Amino acid sequence: MITAVLDTNLLASGLPRSHPDAAPAKIIDAWRNGLFVLAVSEPILEELRRTFGNRYFSARVPKPLLKSVMDMLESEAVVTPIVLEGASCRHFDRERVRPVAIRFNHYDGGVGE
């Protein structure tokens, strides 16, 4: 089974289902249908909570829906601790995503490495 780490941008745009035909929503659907295991870290979840709390989301997505999205992630995704062994995080986003990928031995250097 594939284990994937999705960044906050993809999770924030795909989870509330405001655009169900968009690529992020289809990726989330694939996870929900068991096509891959979603791995996240607490820093990814924290950033998603902050993102969902901003004015853009609070004006467009009902608060109960955002809460249920976070509950679903916390209960159904694999929440893994950050492991920084061998990681050299040069970019803020990579500080949340790369260590999770390394934890599952799925980091291949990424684009531009």
Side-chain angles (χ1 to χ4, degrees), residues 23-84:
K26 289 182 179 185
I27 292 169
I28 298 300
D29 287 346
W31 165 58
R32 299 285 292 135
N33 289 321
L35 298 178
F36 67 91
V37 174
L38 175 60
V40 295
S41 64
E42 191 56 43
I44 290 172
L45 293 174
E46 288 172 16
E47 183 183 21
L48 194 57
R49 284 185 202 100
R50 281 192 309 274
T51 299
F52 283 165
N54 74 27
R55 286 186 291 205
Y56 177 86
F57 279 96
S58 59
R60 289 166 176 79
V61 184
K63 200 172 212 167
L65 176 59
L66 295 176
K67 182 184 179 334
S68 71
V69 164
M70 290 305 303
D71 290 347
M72 176 184 64
L73 269 177
E74 291 168 353
S75 66
E76 296 179 26
V78 175
V79 180
T80 185
I82 293 290
V83 177
L84 292 175

Side-chain angles (χ1 to χ4, degrees), residues 6 9-15 17 19-30:
L6 304 179
N9 292 327
L10 192 139
L11 292 170
S13 59
L15 281 167
R17 308 284 303 141
H19 301 288
D21 293 328
K26 289 182 179 185
I27 292 169
I28 298 300
D29 287 346

Side-chain angles (χ1 to χ4, degrees), residues 90-102:
R90 294 184 309 240
H91 301 287
F92 186 65
D93 222 21
R94 291 182 183 162
E95 290 175 6
R96 289 184 298 273
V97 174
R98 183 184 297 174
V100 178
I102 289 170

